[in-house]
Amino acid sequence: GAVVSQHPSRVICKSGTSVKIECRSLDFQATTMFWYRQFPKQSLMLMATSNEGSKATYEQGVEKDKFLINHASLTLSTLTVTSAHPEDSSFYICSARVSGETQYFGPGTRLLVL
Amino acid sequence: KNQVEQSPQSLIILEGKNCTLQCNYTVSPFSNLRWYKQDTGRGPVSLTIMTFSENTKSNGRYTATLDADTKQSSLHITASQLSDSASYICVVSKGGATNKLIFGTGTLLAVQP
């Protein structure tokens, strides 16, 4: 149980384009989903927290207009990287939480912006 | 400042050997501590979770310890296998309303034949 999927697993795009990443909880309903970014040899950095049906809460330094988060249902959250640039290239990981503290992590999405 | 520090940064061991990874934290208030295994290009997978009152927790060949007084934890891997090669991340959950996770930078373990 408690499986979280992400799609796509990897994406390559041109600079200036927008990329959408999906995060789904497959066998449970997630009241809260989290989006993380991980650069090479670094740990996960929380970007934003999203609760179903409400606006996401962004961490300090994360541009909300650049990283659009939509948590339209209890099983789906999307992260859209708008007008992507090479510095946005990173490993994006989502996690989902039902209640309490346990977060279940997705397999990650590798984004490469050329 | 809420921090989680891990050592060593990287480690190479031979297959079949044991190893111990360290984690020191300064997170307050403390809720729980987890060890995750992250394979390259994959998301983290939980290995163990310990609350304040738990000193040790095992999951197969993985044994985690927690000393809440000194704010230290260790992850011991017994009879290592090639598939143990991964990054091991110590994560402390900050108590309170946010339940925020504080991530360590990880220990990159390479198990060689």
Side-chain angles (χ1 to χ4, degrees), chain A residues 22-99:
Chain A
E22 291 185 350
C23 176
R24 294 181 184 272
S25 56
L26 298 184
D27 51 0
F28 66 100
Q29 293 185 325
T31 53
T32 305
M33 288 186 169
F34 304 83
W35 285 97
Y36 295 85
R37 181 168 50 183
Q38 186 178 32
F39 292 107
K41 298 185 178 180
Q42 295 186 23
S43 194
L44 282 71
M45 294 293 294
L46 180 65
M47 297 174 66
T49 302
S50 73
N51 293 295
E52 186 265 339
S54 62
K55 291 184 178 180
T57 302
Y58 290 81
E59 294 298 300
Q60 191 173 11
V62 178
E63 299 175 58
K64 62 179 181 181
D65 294 330
K66 180 169 184 61
F67 299 98
L68 301 179
I69 293 174
N70 186 305
H71 193 164
S73 76
L74 288 173
T75 59
L76 173 64
S77 176
T78 60
L79 168 69
T80 301
V81 183
T82 62
S83 186
H85 291 283
E87 58 265 31
D88 298 324
S89 299
S90 186
F91 193 52
Y92 292 87
I93 303 174
C94 74
S95 70
R97 183 177 75 189
V98 178
S99 61

Side-chain angles (χ1 to χ4, degrees), chain B residues 1-18:
Chain B
K1 187 176 179 180
N2 294 303
Q3 285 186 318
V4 177
E5 297 182 346
Q6 293 185 241
S7 63
Q9 190 173 28
S10 61
L11 181 63
I12 302 173
I13 61 173
L14 294 177
E15 186 179 13
K17 298 295 184 182
N18 304 334

Side-chain angles (χ1 to χ4, degrees), chain A residues 36 38 43-44 46 59 91 93 97 100-103 105-108 110, chain B residues 31-32 34 36 38 41-44 89 93 98-101 103-105:
Chain A
Y36 295 85
Q38 186 178 32
S43 194
L44 282 71
L46 180 65
E59 294 298 300
F91 193 52
I93 303 174
R97 183 177 75 189
E101 302 172 8
T102 302
Q103 293 183 29
F105 289 88
R110 175 77 59 192
Chain B
S31 179
N32 58 62
R34 290 176 168 86
Y36 284 90
Q38 184 178 22
R42 305 292 292 175
I89 306 172
S93 182
T98 61
N99 289 331
K100 191 170 185 177
L101 300 185
F103 289 81
T105 52

